[in-house]
Amino acid sequence: MRFKHIYLLIFLLSLNVQSCSDDTQMFLESIVEEESSATDTTNPNGNDDSDSNTADDSTQNDNGTVDEGTSDPGSNEAPIDQGTIDPTIEIATWKNFASSAVSHTWDDAYKQQVDIAIPLFDEFDMHTTLFVLPNNIGNWEPYRTAYLSGHEIASHTMSHPDFDKLAMTEVEYQLNRSQEVIIQNMGYNDCLTLAYPYCHADSFNLTEKYYIAARLCQSRIEKSTPENFMEVAAFLCGEGSAYSTADQLNSIAKSAKNQTGWGVYMFHLIDGTGGYTIDSEVLRQHLTFLSSSPQDYWVDSFLNVVKYIKQRNVAEIRLVEENSNHIILSYSDSLDDEIFDFPITFKRMISSNLSIDNIQVFQDSKECESYVLEEIDNGELKRFIVFNAVPDSGNIVIQL
């Protein structure tokens, strides 16, 4: 189009006719206006009215990956700085690439749970979940202490009713009010999971209005991503169940490992009598077994495992910059950052010529939990950096 205009201009000038001078001037002005419009497609309000520019700005490389960081050199927009999707990153199914996840949960707010069970889990540097009944708690201080040590204090409703016998308004009261009371007494806004009383789920589908996951008692290993987070499976354990010895408890964890799944345990009392009571020495033997194989069993609270799964499934990690001194990555997801703030485990290949002692990982200037992993593949040494990072919390810098 530009060359067409130039030829027409020469032709008009060659006519050298005074009577055409005004028309020539108008034509020149129209060329300037048209060329200006062709190079600036934005309207005065900053909106793009050009149909040709409504397509995605990403381009596809020869290897089929999408390069979304490229912007039009003539555009006024700043280049996208999140980087491009990093295909060399592997996201762990379970934290620290353990083979399975394990969660121990306790119902009904018995005093022995905070007096005996919590210190035992602390001894092994493991976290557990107490599904409490606010109506059963007189002193909240031990629960606040447990929470500050990393344990979860969650809801088992206000008064342990059978949901199958309640009207919808009564079910919602139990769900909502128990959460409110726990938050008020604990001083935090982290009551996000529920255990159904009598293992009867909410038939009105109200639970997801207040909680991000809920536990039932189907006595099976849960998948690495549950089909329904409002009906997470668990095993009834302790007196009166098929899982009351250390070996029997360990068998649940072994099944979770074999299925790369999530084993959830449910107990009531500890060192007492009655249904689903566990002896503290049996529990100690079980926790000793789990702690001896951290590569097989990641032990954490019900809530932390739920967060990990949900974050893992939508994690997006991008390469921002890479050179001989460092690798810069960004990690984001589409979830609510006020809730989903649990660190996820990643693995990235690095040069096998690097000194292991010099490698560190930082996120927002804070050092991340990390370690170097070496593998032999067809006789060739391959080296990886494994690290944990939190979504939407600043760029990740791997110092080489």
Side-chain angles (χ1 to χ4, degrees):
M1 179 65 72
R2 186 183 301 271
F3 292 113
K4 177 181 179 182
H5 289 158
I6 292 172
Y7 289 136
L8 287 171
L9 176 59
I10 294 171
F11 173 76
L12 287 169
L13 290 174
S14 67
L15 293 176
N16 195 21
V17 179
Q18 182 65 37
S19 62
C20 296
S21 60
D22 291 339
D23 293 338
T24 303
Q25 181 64 31
M26 291 176 61
F27 181 77
L28 288 171
E29 290 174 357
S30 70
I31 292 176
V32 172
E33 182 178 351
E34 184 176 344
E35 292 299 317
S36 176
S37 298
T39 57
D40 183 4
T41 60
T42 57
N43 66 23
N45 295 324
N47 299 323
D48 190 349
D49 292 329
S50 171
D51 291 340
S52 63
N53 287 336
T54 57
D56 189 279
D57 287 335
S58 61
T59 58
Q60 191 172 57
N61 298 322
D62 293 339
N63 59 7
T65 61
V66 176
D67 183 352
E68 297 177 273
T70 303
S71 62
D72 181 0
S75 170
N76 292 326
E77 297 179 1
I80 298 172
D81 62 1
Q82 289 93 342
T84 57
I85 297 294
D86 190 341
T88 67
I89 288 283
E90 181 180 349
I91 304 175
T93 301
W94 301 117
K95 189 178 180 184
N96 293 330
F97 285 91
S99 301
S100 62
V102 171
S103 296
H104 303 87
T105 67
W106 306 78
D107 290 5
D108 300 341
Y110 291 106
K111 188 174 183 294
Q112 296 98 319
Q113 294 170 1
V114 290
D115 289 345
I116 303 173
I118 291 296
L120 190 53
F121 278 88
D122 285 341
E123 182 181 328
F124 285 88
D125 195 24
M126 296 176 178
H127 300 140
T128 189
T129 295
L130 305 183
F131 286 115
V132 303
L133 300 166
N135 284 351
N136 284 9
I137 300 176
N139 179 15
W140 285 88
E141 189 58 34
Y143 293 91
R144 286 190 284 268
T145 301
Y147 173 77
L148 293 175
S149 296
H151 304 289
E152 179 189 9
I153 312 301
S155 175
H156 198 33
T157 71
M158 284 296 295
S159 57
H160 205 286
D162 186 345
F163 277 5
D164 287 349
K165 300 177 181 179
L166 296 185
M168 184 171 67
T169 55
E170 295 173 306
V171 170
E172 184 153 24
Y173 168 80
Q174 291 285 335
L175 295 170
N176 183 24
R177 185 56 183 158
S178 61
Q179 186 182 61
E180 290 179 343
V181 173
I182 292 170
I183 290 172
Q184 289 168 5
N185 285 277
M186 292 295 295
Y188 69 90
N189 194 26
D190 209 20
C191 181
L192 296 168
T193 67
L194 172 90
Y196 295 108
Y198 301 105
C199 297
H200 292 172
D202 153 35
S203 61
F204 301 105
N205 298 320
L206 295 169
T207 305
E208 59 189 292
K209 181 178 177 180
Y210 300 98
Y211 303 93
I212 64 172
R215 194 213 67 201
L216 279 174
C217 319
Q218 304 97 313
S219 295
R220 60 173 171 78
I221 299 299
E222 192 56 84
K223 297 179 180 179
S224 57
T225 298
E227 292 181 2
N228 186 349
F229 278 99
M230 295 299 118
E231 297 183 358
V232 175
F235 290 83
L236 299 172
C237 300
E239 184 178 331
S241 78
Y243 305 96
S244 58
T245 69
D247 286 344
Q248 290 168 341
L249 296 178
N250 295 345
S251 70
I252 296 174
K254 291 176 181 179
S255 294
K257 172 190 171 183
N258 292 337
Q259 299 177 42
T260 320
W262 180 20
V264 182
Y265 298 69
M266 189 280 280
F267 304 95
H268 279 174
L269 285 162
I270 183 169
D271 286 348
T273 58
Y276 314 124
T277 297
I278 196 71
D279 182 83
S280 59
E281 183 54 34
V282 170
L283 181 60
R284 177 184 294 278
Q285 293 173 18
H286 169 58
L287 297 182
T288 299
F289 166 77
L290 295 174
S291 66
S292 67
S293 301
Q295 72 279 7
D296 295 327
Y297 309 110
W298 168 43
V299 182
D300 215 325
S301 68
F302 187 84
L303 175 60
N304 283 348
V305 175
V306 169
K307 285 184 177 183
Y308 189 97
I309 296 170
K310 287 176 175 277
Q311 291 175 212
R312 176 198 70 204
N313 289 349
V314 295
E316 187 174 273
I317 190 155
R318 294 172 174 267
L319 176 63
V320 176
E321 182 178 307
E322 182 172 11
N323 57 41
S324 59
N325 297 319
H326 61 244
I327 301 169
I328 300 179
L329 306 167
S330 69
Y331 164 35
S332 60
D333 63 29
S334 57
L335 302 174
D336 184 346
D337 294 337
E338 292 186 4
I339 295 175
F340 295 96
D341 56 358
F342 194 76
I344 302 298
T345 305
F346 301 95
K347 181 172 78 171
R348 191 185 196 278
M349 183 180 293
I350 56 176
S351 172
S352 58
N353 297 323
L354 294 171
S355 172
I356 295 177
D357 297 334
N358 296 333
I359 300 174
Q360 290 178 292
V361 182
F362 298 88
Q363 185 175 29
D364 194 27
S365 302
K366 299 175 183 177
E367 187 167 4
C368 301
E369 180 185 357
S370 64
Y371 63 91
V372 174
L373 176 68
E374 294 184 336
E375 299 177 357
I376 302 297
D377 184 12
N378 293 326
E380 180 184 355
L381 173 66
K382 291 187 177 181
R383 187 172 288 166
F384 303 86
I385 181 70
V386 179
F387 60 92
N388 290 299
V390 177
D392 304 304
S393 297
N395 280 348
I396 302 158
V397 179
I398 305 173
Q399 296 283 4
L400 303 177

